[in-house]
């Protein structure tokens, strides 16, 4: 789901600064973000201002249900296109560093680094298993059945969205055509840093969060042998990474001549060890100065903050000074996002994707499209306005008093860690009009916010002390989405000054790699700026407490229904 303007568009927001007499005093950093459906790039100055940004869509193939594939060639080409756009006309000497973030998708190449098909059709162009691909459901069930001790670092249950089950699926289903020919398996963020530098080093962020690497003990040979992937142990982990770098570390000798030509950037500029996209979003927002905003996290440690990154899916990033084990929540991961802190990562597998699915699948969607176009509004802006029209004297959220959604249309990532859960809607009528579409849209947004509350309460119960949410990602542009999260969690929400916090996070990596900042923490404080604060309406607390009771009942009933139907 996108709240962006048209694709292929480049915008410049800092031209006065760029062309001022002080231009020679300003350094710039390039951040490249590869999301699920598009690649975006931003030119960010040393003060954290996005001077220029551009985006371009990328292809997704869905050969069958729950199978999602992409192309590393397509993604790299898009990276080059958007980067050339944002640096056009900029003094190359002022561009000091480059940082990448990307989805945690699995890239497969052969020993000569050529794309290798991850599909039965043998289409080598499609060499990426997308993060949201669930083809490895049986493999992850077997891995979880081992109850190996490393699973304690993923909340006790590995997700099908992580890399070990995907690797096992490839070995069991594409042994001859892919597994035996593979030279390297990359997380997408690491593929991009390799493409830029020619160095196969991996980021600590990717291998700790998605590959079961321990920042303290390294790879666990026993785990990989137990899940029948002993081949990776025998070659000393060359295929999945035996050189691990902290995020923001300068990789190799910087940008290679070939990559520099592709991207339109100076040869040799610093390239940072990368981050997963959600972690870049956290980096871009969680460290901002909140003085003067009357927030409960002011004068409190950074551990009182939770970064909420909301796009196609949502990630809930909480950090702590000591490891906290949260059932159903990934982590604790040491130094995976902010150096020196442990990270717990909750998440919802489909949020923006779910809203899009619900809205576009409704019979009234063509009517919505036509009316939104006629009023020169996005469909979501129009829906928000329509809800204001039909609410009458009620607060808008109260319109769903008898309409409830359970949002796990793509399984539950956190805190239940149950891939088998499905979506639910309770309270449907025979209505098929625009009012009905607006109500189901509202109920879906509320369900996502209730899911965030469920994750947050689970993290709090395990020992986190979170009092403020810092929200970024595409959905932060939807004021209804933001307000529902504030009202339903009962916590203030901080929005960054820059809309593109994920891109700022990627640029922070490049800034750190350049040596212009002493540490990631310093770059976070200098470049991550706070914008608007959205306060919860505490007058609505009783209503949302009741909605939350119903929310938890929905999953109880679903599990009861599933138990009844077992064995049929």
């Amino acid at each position: 789901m996108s709240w962006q303007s048209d694709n292929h568009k480049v915008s410049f927001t800092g031209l006065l600064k760029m062309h001022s007499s002080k231009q020679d005093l300003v350094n710039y950093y390039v951040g490249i973000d590869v999301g699920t459906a598009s690649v975006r790039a931003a030119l960010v100055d040393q003060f954290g201002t996005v001077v220029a940004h551009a985006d371009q869509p990328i292809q997704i193939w869905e050969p069958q249900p729950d199978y999602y594939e992409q192309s590393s060639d397509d993604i790299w080409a898009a990276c080059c296109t958007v980067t050339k756009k944002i640096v056009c006309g900029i003094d190359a000497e002022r561009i000091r560093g480059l940082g990448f973030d990307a989805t945690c998708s699995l890239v497969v190449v052969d020993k000569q680094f050529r794309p290798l098909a991850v599909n039965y059709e043998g289409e080598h162009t499609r060499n990426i298993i997308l993060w949201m691909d669930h083809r490895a459901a049986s493999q992850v069930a077997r891995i979880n059945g081992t109850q190996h001790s490393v699973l304690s670092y993923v909340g006790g249950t590995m997700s099908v969205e992580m890399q070990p089950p995907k690797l096992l699926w490839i070995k069991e289903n594409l042994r001859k055509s892919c597994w035996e020919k593979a030279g390297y398996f990359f997380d997408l963020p690491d593929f991009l840093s390799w493409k830029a530098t020619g160095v196969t080093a991996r980021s600590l962020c990717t291998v700790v969060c998605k590959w079961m690497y321990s920042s303290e003990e390294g790879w666990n040979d026993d785990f990989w042998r137990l899940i029948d992937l002993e081949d990776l142990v025998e070659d000393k982990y060359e295929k999945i990474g035996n050189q691990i770098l902290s995020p923001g570390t300068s990789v190799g000798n910087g940008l290679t001549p070939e990559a520099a030509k592709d991207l339109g950037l100076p040869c040799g500029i610093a390239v940072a060890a990368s981050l997963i996209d959600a972690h870049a979003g956290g980096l871009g927002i969680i460290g901002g100065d909140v003085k003067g905003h009357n927030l409960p996290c002011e004068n409190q440690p950074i551990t009182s903050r939770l970064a909420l990154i909301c796009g196609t899916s949502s990630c809930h990033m909480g950090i702590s000074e000591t490891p906290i084990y949260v059932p159903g929540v990934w982590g604790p991961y040491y130094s995976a996002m902010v150096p020196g802190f442990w990270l717990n990562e909750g998440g919802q597998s489909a949020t923006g994707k779910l809203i899009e699915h619900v809205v576009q699948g409704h019979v009234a969607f063509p009517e919505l499209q036509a009316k939104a176009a006629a009023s020169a509004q996005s469909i979501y802006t129009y829906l928000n306005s329509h809800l204001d029209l039909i609410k009458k004297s009620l607060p808008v959220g109260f319109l769903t008093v008898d309409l409830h959604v359970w949002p796990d249309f793509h399984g539950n990532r956190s805190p239940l860690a149950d891939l088998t859960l499905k979506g639910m809607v309770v309270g449907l009528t025979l209505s098929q009009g625009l009012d009905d579409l607006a109500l189901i849209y509202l109920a879906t947004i509320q369900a996502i916010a209730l899911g965030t509350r469920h994750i947050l309460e689970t993290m709090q119960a395990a020992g986190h002390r979170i009092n403020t949410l810092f929200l970024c990602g595409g959905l932060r542009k939807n004021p209804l989405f933001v307000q529902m999260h504030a009202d339903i969690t009962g916590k203030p929400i901080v929005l960054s000054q820059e809309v593109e916090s994920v891109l700022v996070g990627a640029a922070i990596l490049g800034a750190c790699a350049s040596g212009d900042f002493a540490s990631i923490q310093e770059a976070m404080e200098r470049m991550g700026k706070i914008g608007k604060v959205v306060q919860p309406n505490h007058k609505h607390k009783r209503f949302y407490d009741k909605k939350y009771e119903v929310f938890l009942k929905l999953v109880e009933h679903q599990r009861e229904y599933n138990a009844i139907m077992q064995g049929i």
Side-chain angles (χ1 to χ4, degrees):
M1 169 181 176
S2 175
W3 283 73
Q4 298 267 113
S5 54
D6 294 340
N7 288 318
H8 306 288
K9 185 172 287 185
V10 60
S11 64
F12 294 91
T13 56
L15 291 174
L16 290 176
K17 179 178 286 187
M18 289 162 54
H19 295 297
S20 72
S21 60
K22 296 182 179 180
Q23 180 179 348
D24 58 334
L25 301 177
V26 177
N27 290 327
Y28 298 101
Y29 312 96
V30 173
I32 299 177
D33 163 51
V34 180
T36 302
S38 67
V39 172
R40 304 180 303 150
L43 187 68
V44 183
D45 70 18
Q46 66 202 51
F47 310 105
T49 302
V50 175
V51 173
H53 67 90
D55 60 81
Q56 179 163 310
I58 50 179
Q59 288 184 278
I60 300 175
W61 288 267
E62 187 180 0
Q64 54 184 293
D66 284 337
Y67 284 53
Y68 297 93
E69 297 168 4
Q70 290 186 313
S71 163
S72 62
D73 286 346
D74 177 54
I75 288 172
W76 181 250
C79 290
C80 297
T81 298
V82 293
T83 305
K84 285 178 178 176
K85 287 181 179 179
I86 63 165
V87 300
C88 182
I90 303 297
D91 180 1
E93 291 185 2
R94 306 316 311 164
I95 302 173
R96 301 273 298 149
L98 169 63
F100 291 99
D101 74 78
T103 64
C104 49
S105 301
L106 178 66
V107 186
V108 186
V109 295
D110 66 15
K111 294 174 178 63
Q112 287 74 45
F113 296 96
R114 296 172 303 199
L116 202 55
V118 294
N119 48 73
Y120 295 116
E121 296 82 4
E123 292 287 342
H124 292 300
T125 302
R126 291 156 35 203
N127 68 315
I128 297 178
I129 299 179
L130 192 60
W131 67 269
M132 62 190 292
D133 184 290
H134 284 188
R135 71 182 67 183
S138 67
Q139 285 77 16
V140 79
R142 276 184 275 138
I143 291 171
N144 286 324
T146 67
Q147 298 184 331
H148 194 280
S149 60
V150 300
L151 298 177
S152 66
Y153 287 94
V154 290
T157 305
M158 181 178 288
S159 168
V160 70
E161 295 168 8
M162 292 179 176
Q163 308 303 8
K166 291 182 171 71
L167 293 172
L168 187 55
W169 184 93
I170 290 173
K171 181 176 181 179
E172 294 178 347
N173 291 273
L174 303 174
R175 188 176 191 120
K176 294 291 184 183
S177 63
C178 183
W179 183 258
E180 293 180 358
K181 294 180 180 179
Y184 301 90
F185 299 99
F186 287 103
D187 220 273
L188 182 52
D190 295 322
F191 170 83
L192 295 170
S193 62
W194 164 76
K195 192 74 174 175
T197 65
V199 176
T200 61
R202 307 310 206 271
S203 167
L204 182 68
C205 173
T206 60
V207 294
V208 165
C209 295
K210 306 300 173 186
W211 297 74
M212 308 308 295
Y213 181 87
S214 168
S215 54
E216 298 171 306
E217 300 175 5
W219 295 112
N220 187 305
D221 295 355
D222 178 62
F223 168 72
W224 293 100
R225 291 192 174 106
L226 185 63
I227 66 170
D228 297 326
L229 291 177
E230 64 285 345
D231 331 37
L232 301 176
V233 181
E234 303 311 321
D235 72 359
K236 299 180 180 178
Y237 300 101
E238 182 181 1
K239 289 183 178 180
I240 62 173
N242 49 24
Q243 181 187 3
I244 313 299
L245 300 176
S246 295
T249 303
S250 184
V251 180
N253 296 315
L255 201 61
T256 65
E258 182 181 0
K261 182 179 178 182
D262 287 347
L263 293 165
L265 294 173
C267 179
I269 66 166
V271 177
S274 54
L275 281 173
I276 298 166
D277 54 353
H279 301 64
L283 205 66
I285 191 172
I286 201 170
D289 184 359
V290 298
K291 289 179 182 176
H293 289 278
N294 194 31
L295 288 164
C297 64
E298 186 174 348
N299 299 320
Q300 296 294 313
I302 195 173
T303 53
S304 65
R305 308 176 180 193
L306 181 127
L308 180 54
I309 299 89
C310 304
T312 302
S313 61
S314 290
C315 296
H316 307 68
M317 322 292 278
I319 59 176
S320 56
E321 294 181 356
T322 57
I324 299 175
Y325 295 84
V326 186
V329 173
W330 300 342
Y333 304 132
Y334 186 67
S335 290
M337 185 174 77
V338 180
F341 288 87
W342 294 84
L343 171 70
N344 283 107
E345 179 184 350
Q348 295 161 294
S349 294
T351 50
K353 177 77 171 174
L354 175 60
I355 296 169
E356 182 181 84
H357 172 79
V358 168
V359 170
Q360 295 187 6
H362 196 281
V363 68
F365 180 63
E367 179 187 354
L368 169 64
Q369 281 184 303
K371 290 187 173 180
S375 61
Q377 293 179 310
S378 77
I379 58 173
Y380 300 107
T381 300
Y382 188 89
L383 280 173
N384 292 351
S385 299
H386 191 77
L387 285 166
D388 285 334
L389 287 175
I390 65 176
K391 71 176 185 178
K392 298 179 181 177
S393 61
L394 288 172
V396 68
F398 289 26
L399 288 169
T400 60
V401 65
D402 55 0
L403 181 62
H404 311 282
V405 172
W406 179 263
D408 291 332
F409 286 51
H410 201 52
N412 183 282
R413 186 189 298 172
S414 305
L416 303 177
D418 188 344
L419 175 63
T420 68
L421 289 176
K422 305 292 191 294
M424 300 173 70
V425 182
V426 176
L428 293 174
T429 70
L430 293 175
S431 173
Q432 293 182 312
L434 193 54
D435 287 4
D436 182 69
L437 171 50
L439 291 176
I440 192 67
Y441 158 73
L442 171 61
T444 301
I445 286 177
Q446 289 175 332
I448 292 167
L450 290 162
T452 290
R453 176 169 169 174
H454 197 193
I455 292 167
L456 186 60
E457 289 189 358
T458 304
M459 293 176 71
Q460 301 270 52
H464 281 276
R465 297 292 177 263
I466 295 161
N467 57 36
T468 310
L469 308 185
F470 288 67
L471 195 151
C472 66
L475 290 170
R476 63 91 72 195
K477 301 171 191 176
N478 184 339
L480 180 66
F481 184 90
V482 177
Q483 190 64 59
M484 286 298 103
H485 274 73
D487 290 351
I488 287 170
T489 63
K491 300 191 184 300
I493 291 184
V494 177
L495 303 178
S496 60
Q497 180 173 303
E498 292 291 346
V499 173
E500 309 295 349
S501 293
V502 176
L503 285 167
V504 172
I508 285 173
L509 294 174
C512 191
S514 74
D516 290 348
F517 294 90
S519 65
I520 280 185
Q521 287 94 327
E522 181 188 345
M524 286 169 57
E525 292 170 6
R526 292 276 300 278
M527 296 176 69
K529 297 179 179 178
I530 298 308
K532 183 179 179 181
V533 173
V534 177
Q535 294 287 350
N537 189 330
H538 294 294
K539 293 179 181 179
H540 301 166
K541 182 180 184 302
R542 184 172 180 274
F543 177 81
Y544 289 117
D545 285 348
K546 294 295 184 182
K547 287 282 288 188
Y548 188 56
E549 283 186 48
V550 174
F551 182 79
L552 297 179
K553 286 290 184 183
L554 290 176
V555 73
E556 285 183 27
H557 292 323
Q558 183 175 161
R559 286 177 161 171
E560 289 173 6
Y561 304 153
N562 291 342
I564 291 170
M565 297 305 293
Q566 279 184 353
I568 299 298

